[in-house]
Amino acid sequence: MNSTLPLFLATRNRHKTREIQTMLGEGVVVRDATEIPELPEIEETGMTFEANAKLKAEGISKHISGFVLADDSGLEVDALGGEPGIYSARYAGPGCTDVQNTELVLKKMEGVPQERRTGRFRCVLAVARDGKTMATFDGTVEGRLTAEITGEGGFGYDPIFIPEGYQKSFGELPAELKNSMSHRGRALEQFREWFVKNNSQG
Ligand code: IMP
């Protein structure tokens, strides 16, 4: 990207913002909802990642000019029937912490043997302008669940998720490695292409 492009993220999750800013690089200046406290809280009433990503992008783009990007993401655990899924951020209850969510997953997985500890992170990105979704992108990374919390990197469920082909969790692996293969990294790669094309068309 040759000049600096502005992008607003419909999130108050600084971890997501940091990952997205790092992956998009210096050519894109990312701002998020932590900078504008008066923005409404968008209720995630959708039943899919895509529906919730659209709700957030459309809702916030009614208040912000230019492109607004929203990320809805989470962990799907096969032995838990796909939970926590769209409830990933609030699995242990409203206002709960990442550690409480992670501990709840580990507790529910107690006694589940190694070969059945499979799961994946999923991310859907929606980009909207003036209240309308213009495109969506999705990314997935397959992996397995650890038996305990490992490492201190990343956020959310990173310390209990080992991506396929590795022996260490996202909490232990370097951030650049996570970003190169993660659900968010994969979705963002597609968004980046779209973003460059649509900005160059004015
Ligand atoms: P959302 O803000 O409703 O999309 O909730 C996303 C939740 O999914 C986060 O609060 C985390 O718990 C989890 N999550 C999403 N992406 C990641 C990731 O890259 N690593 C670890 N946990 C994640």
Side-chain angles (χ1 to χ4, degrees), residues 16 44 72-74 88-89 121 155-158 178 183-184:
K16 282 186 184 177
E44 298 186 24
D72 202 63
S73 47
S88 290
F121 273 125
F155 72 100
Y157 300 95
D158 280 342
K178 175 188 173 187
H183 50 316
R184 188 164 297 106

Side-chain angles (χ1 to χ4, degrees), residues 121-198:
F121 273 125
R122 291 193 53 214
C123 170
V124 175
L125 297 174
V127 58
R129 189 156 66 183
D130 302 327
K132 285 196 197 76
T133 294
M134 309 187 65
T136 61
F137 312 91
D138 57 77
T140 299
V141 56
E142 297 286 336
R144 62 194 155 88
L145 278 290
T146 59
E148 55 192 33
I149 289 178
T150 57
E152 286 167 2
F155 72 100
Y157 300 95
D158 280 342
I160 62 167
F161 183 85
I162 298 179
E164 211 166 57
Y166 290 82
Q167 299 304 323
K168 287 186 173 173
S169 75
F170 273 159
E172 299 171 292
L173 293 169
E176 311 81 70
L177 191 56
K178 175 188 173 187
N179 292 344
S180 72
M181 69 173 117
S182 76
H183 50 316
R184 188 164 297 106
R186 287 173 176 162
L188 212 55
E189 224 13 76
Q190 303 164 54
F191 165 73
R192 179 211 285 276
E193 225 172 90
W194 181 95
F195 192 51
V196 170
K197 207 183 287 170
N198 281 270

